Amino acid sequence: MPDNRAVVYRGAGHVEVEDVAYPAFEIQDGPGVNPDNVGRQLPHGVILKVVATNICGSDQHMVRGRTTAPEGLTLGHEITGEVIETGRDVEFVKTGDLVSVPFNIACGRCRNCKEGKTGVCMNVNPERAGSAYGYVDMGGWVGGQAEYVMVPYADWNVLKFPDKDQAMEKIRDLAMLADIFPTGFHGCVTAGVQPGSTVYIAGAGPVGLAAATSAFLLGAAVVIVADLQRDRLEQARSFGCETIDVSQGDPAEQIAQIVGEPEVDCAVDAVGFEARGHGGEAQTERPATVLNTVMTVTRAGGGVGIPGLYVTGDPGAADDAAKEGSLSIRLGLGWAKSLSFTTGQCPVMRYNRGLMMAILHDRTQVAKNVNATVIPLDQAPQGYTEFDKGAARKYILDPHGMLG
């Protein structure tokens, strides 16, 4: 049995690469594991040799101490790997397959899964609907920022790449299929982006840049990306986006300078609950700012996609209401404008196969657009630190040195 090393959360602002247990086809007790999941048998799972695993902005919320994540949690939910062992009930996935793993863990059997709502599977997290690898309050499934990881319900969950050699040539792009590319695409689809749309995307981090990439893929006429970080805005401009520096003031006024009116057809919140204010409040946390802004700048009858993360437990919030996810949003404004809102985890399986085909057939360059940057697993703590400072990069961890 090989050794296994992984990125482990060790308290606010602190991650370490440590020796951890090799994956098994049974859920073991450990940090964050729901007691009702301990001992659960997983004959439907596979063990992967991890080829690529990404650092996500959602991971950063935990590492900043802004969730109730326990110390000792193995991180990582963006996983691409090679199957090296299959459980006895696995029928269609074979040893040697190179696969993408949706960050949502889904059983494929419950009502929600059968309706395509794989982000809120009812059978994988005893606490509530929905689960993910290496994430707080998601059932305690071991994360994939590691050398090896176990994936349950493998016949249902994994997406096999049709040609292994072709996939390795495009592995940086394909590594985005586990989360950020489908998540950005979901934000745009649920916001109603279509050919000719004008689109406002709040946040030029990796998900925001993936959303911008998705908006172009869907035929948007104008894609406006807003952020506070100049390097991130420059990255957005590198592939044709218009940009807004919200530290300079009201986004509506800047939108009017771009499209001739202070509104867009649809908007995407790719920031989430650690949002800051605009203009003079750009250095002050204002968790409802982005939600209120997207309602303000979206035309009446338009749509808002909200892939940005909002939580029910934020110990670092500025007030008691925000600590439990209660924010001062202008719902009346959204109601008066007949806006549609879509929240929650992206159901990755709804999109990943189509986006895979777009990558394999050179219809998109998502890795270039998000500035994908490969680093060894041992450099994960440095990657987290740089990403937290606003680096305009999407870090891909390379546990086995397979990415060159």
Side-chain angles (χ1 to χ4, degrees), residues 163-194:
D163 184 287
K164 199 169 183 179
D165 292 336
Q166 180 193 27
M168 285 304 296
E169 291 175 2
K170 298 178 179 292
I171 194 65
R172 289 166 174 78
D173 293 282
L174 295 171
M176 304 304 150
L177 292 175
D179 182 357
I180 70 160
F181 198 8
T183 293
F185 196 83
H186 181 62
C188 289
V189 168
T190 55
V193 178
Q194 58 186 346

Coordinates of all heavy atoms in Angstrom, one line a residue, residues 163-194:
D163 N -9.9 9.8 -24.6 CA -8.5 9.4 -25.1 C -7.5 10.0 -24.1 O -7.4 11.2 -23.9 CB -8.3 10.0 -26.5 CG -6.9 9.6 -27.1 OD1 -5.9 10.1 -26.6 OD2 -6.9 8.8 -28.0
K164 N -6.8 9.1 -23.5 CA -5.9 9.4 -22.4 C -4.8 10.4 -22.8 O -4.5 11.4 -22.1 CB -5.4 8.2 -21.7 CG -4.8 8.3 -20.3 CD -4.5 6.9 -19.8 CE -4.0 7.0 -18.3 NZ -3.8 5.6 -17.8
D165 N -4.2 10.1 -23.9 CA -3.1 10.9 -24.4 C -3.5 12.3 -24.8 O -2.9 13.3 -24.5 CB -2.4 10.2 -25.6 CG -1.6 8.9 -25.3 OD1 -1.3 8.8 -24.1 OD2 -1.4 8.1 -26.1
Q166 N -4.7 12.4 -25.5 CA -5.2 13.7 -25.8 C -5.6 14.5 -24.6 O -5.3 15.7 -24.5 CB -6.5 13.5 -26.7 CG -7.2 14.8 -27.1 CD -8.6 14.6 -27.7 OE1 -9.2 13.6 -27.3 NE2 -9.0 15.5 -28.5
A167 N -6.1 13.8 -23.6 CA -6.5 14.4 -22.3 C -5.2 15.0 -21.6 O -5.3 16.1 -21.1 CB -7.2 13.5 -21.4
M168 N -4.2 14.2 -21.6 CA -3.0 14.7 -20.9 C -2.4 16.0 -21.6 O -1.8 16.8 -21.0 CB -1.9 13.6 -20.8 CG -2.2 12.6 -19.8 SD -2.5 13.2 -18.1 CE -0.9 13.9 -17.7
E169 N -2.6 16.1 -22.9 CA -2.1 17.3 -23.7 C -2.9 18.5 -23.2 O -2.4 19.6 -23.4 CB -2.3 17.0 -25.2 CG -1.3 16.0 -25.7 CD -1.5 15.7 -27.2 OE1 -2.5 16.4 -27.8 OE2 -0.9 14.9 -27.8
K170 N -4.2 18.3 -22.8 CA -5.0 19.4 -22.4 C -5.4 19.4 -20.9 O -6.4 19.9 -20.5 CB -6.3 19.4 -23.3 CG -6.0 19.6 -24.8 CD -7.3 19.5 -25.6 CE -7.1 19.7 -27.1 NZ -6.6 21.1 -27.4
I171 N -4.5 18.8 -20.1 CA -4.9 18.5 -18.8 C -5.1 19.7 -17.9 O -6.0 19.7 -17.0 CB -3.8 17.5 -18.1 CG1 -4.4 16.9 -16.8 CG2 -2.5 18.3 -17.9 CD1 -5.5 16.0 -17.0
R172 N -4.4 20.8 -18.2 CA -4.7 22.0 -17.4 C -6.1 22.6 -17.6 O -6.7 23.0 -16.7 CB -3.6 23.1 -17.8 CG -2.2 22.8 -17.3 CD -1.2 23.7 -18.0 NE 0.2 23.5 -17.4 CZ 0.9 22.4 -17.7 NH1 0.5 21.5 -18.6 NH2 2.1 22.3 -17.2
D173 N -6.6 22.5 -18.9 CA -7.9 22.9 -19.1 C -8.9 21.9 -18.5 O -9.9 22.3 -17.9 CB -8.2 23.0 -20.6 CG -7.4 24.1 -21.3 OD1 -7.8 25.3 -21.2 OD2 -6.4 23.8 -21.9
L174 N -8.7 20.6 -18.7 CA -9.6 19.6 -18.2 C -9.7 19.6 -16.7 O -10.7 19.2 -16.1 CB -9.2 18.2 -18.8 CG -9.3 18.1 -20.3 CD1 -8.7 16.7 -20.7 CD2 -10.8 18.1 -20.7
A175 N -8.6 20.0 -16.0 CA -8.6 20.0 -14.6 C -9.6 21.0 -14.1 O -10.0 21.0 -12.9 CB -7.2 20.4 -14.1
M176 N -10.1 21.9 -14.9 CA -11.1 22.9 -14.5 C -12.5 22.4 -14.5 O -13.5 23.0 -14.1 CB -11.0 24.2 -15.4 CG -9.7 24.8 -15.5 SD -9.0 25.3 -13.8 CE -7.3 25.2 -14.1
L177 N -12.7 21.2 -15.0 CA -14.0 20.6 -15.1 C -14.6 20.1 -13.8 O -15.8 19.9 -13.7 CB -14.0 19.4 -16.1 CG -13.8 19.7 -17.6 CD1 -13.7 18.4 -18.4 CD2 -14.9 20.6 -18.1
A178 N -13.7 19.9 -12.8 CA -14.2 19.4 -11.5 C -15.0 20.4 -10.8 O -15.9 20.1 -10.0 CB -13.0 19.0 -10.6
D179 N -14.8 21.7 -11.1 CA -15.5 22.7 -10.3 C -15.7 24.0 -11.1 O -16.7 24.4 -11.6 CB -14.9 23.0 -9.0 CG -15.6 24.0 -8.1 OD1 -16.6 24.6 -8.5 OD2 -15.1 24.2 -7.0
I180 N -14.6 24.8 -11.2 CA -14.7 26.2 -11.6 C -15.3 26.5 -13.0 O -16.1 27.4 -13.1 CB -13.5 27.1 -11.4 CG1 -12.4 26.7 -12.4 CG2 -12.9 26.9 -10.0 CD1 -11.4 27.8 -12.6
F181 N -15.0 25.6 -14.0 CA -15.6 25.9 -15.3 C -17.1 25.6 -15.3 O -17.9 26.5 -15.7 CB -14.8 25.1 -16.3 CG -15.0 25.5 -17.7 CD1 -15.7 26.7 -18.1 CD2 -14.5 24.8 -18.8 CE1 -15.8 27.2 -19.4 CE2 -14.7 25.2 -20.1 CZ -15.4 26.4 -20.4
P182 N -17.5 24.4 -14.8 CA -19.0 24.2 -14.7 C -19.7 25.3 -13.8 O -20.8 25.7 -14.1 CB -19.1 22.8 -14.2 CG -17.9 22.1 -14.6 CD -16.8 23.2 -14.5
T183 N -19.0 25.6 -12.7 CA -19.6 26.6 -11.8 C -19.8 27.9 -12.4 O -20.8 28.6 -12.3 CB -18.7 26.7 -10.5 OG1 -18.8 25.5 -9.8 CG2 -19.2 27.8 -9.6
G184 N -18.8 28.4 -13.1 CA -18.9 29.7 -13.9 C -20.0 29.6 -15.0 O -20.7 30.5 -15.2
F185 N -20.0 28.4 -15.7 CA -21.0 28.2 -16.7 C -22.4 28.2 -16.1 O -23.3 28.8 -16.7 CB -20.6 26.9 -17.4 CG -21.3 26.7 -18.8 CD1 -20.8 27.3 -19.9 CD2 -22.5 26.0 -18.9 CE1 -21.4 27.1 -21.1 CE2 -23.1 25.8 -20.1 CZ -22.5 26.4 -21.2
H186 N -22.5 27.5 -15.0 CA -23.8 27.5 -14.3 C -24.3 28.9 -13.9 O -25.5 29.2 -14.1 CB -23.7 26.6 -13.1 CG -24.9 26.4 -12.3 ND1 -26.1 25.8 -12.8 CD2 -25.2 26.7 -11.0 CE1 -27.0 25.8 -11.8 NE2 -26.5 26.3 -10.7
G187 N -23.4 29.7 -13.4 CA -23.7 31.1 -13.1 C -24.3 31.8 -14.3 O -25.3 32.5 -14.2
C188 N -23.7 31.6 -15.4 CA -24.1 32.3 -16.7 C -25.4 31.7 -17.2 O -26.3 32.5 -17.6 CB -23.0 32.2 -17.7 SG -21.6 33.2 -17.4
V189 N -25.5 30.4 -17.2 CA -26.8 29.8 -17.7 C -28.0 30.2 -16.9 O -29.0 30.5 -17.4 CB -26.6 28.2 -17.7 CG1 -28.0 27.5 -17.9 CG2 -25.6 27.8 -18.8
T190 N -27.8 30.1 -15.5 CA -28.9 30.5 -14.7 C -29.2 32.0 -14.7 O -30.4 32.4 -14.4 CB -28.7 30.0 -13.2 OG1 -27.4 30.6 -12.8 CG2 -28.6 28.5 -13.2
A191 N -28.3 32.8 -15.1 CA -28.5 34.2 -15.2 C -29.2 34.5 -16.5 O -29.7 35.7 -16.7 CB -27.2 35.0 -15.1
G192 N -29.2 33.6 -17.5 CA -29.9 33.8 -18.7 C -29.0 34.3 -19.8 O -29.5 34.9 -20.8
V193 N -27.7 34.1 -19.7 CA -26.8 34.6 -20.8 C -27.1 33.9 -22.1 O -27.2 32.6 -22.1 CB -25.3 34.4 -20.4 CG1 -24.4 34.8 -21.5 CG2 -25.0 35.1 -19.1
Q194 N -27.2 34.6 -23.2 CA -27.4 34.0 -24.5 C -26.8 34.9 -25.6 O -26.2 36.0 -25.2 CB -28.9 34.0 -24.7 CG -29.7 35.3 -24.6 CD -31.2 35.1 -24.8 OE1 -31.7 34.1 -25.1 NE2 -31.9 36.2 -24.4

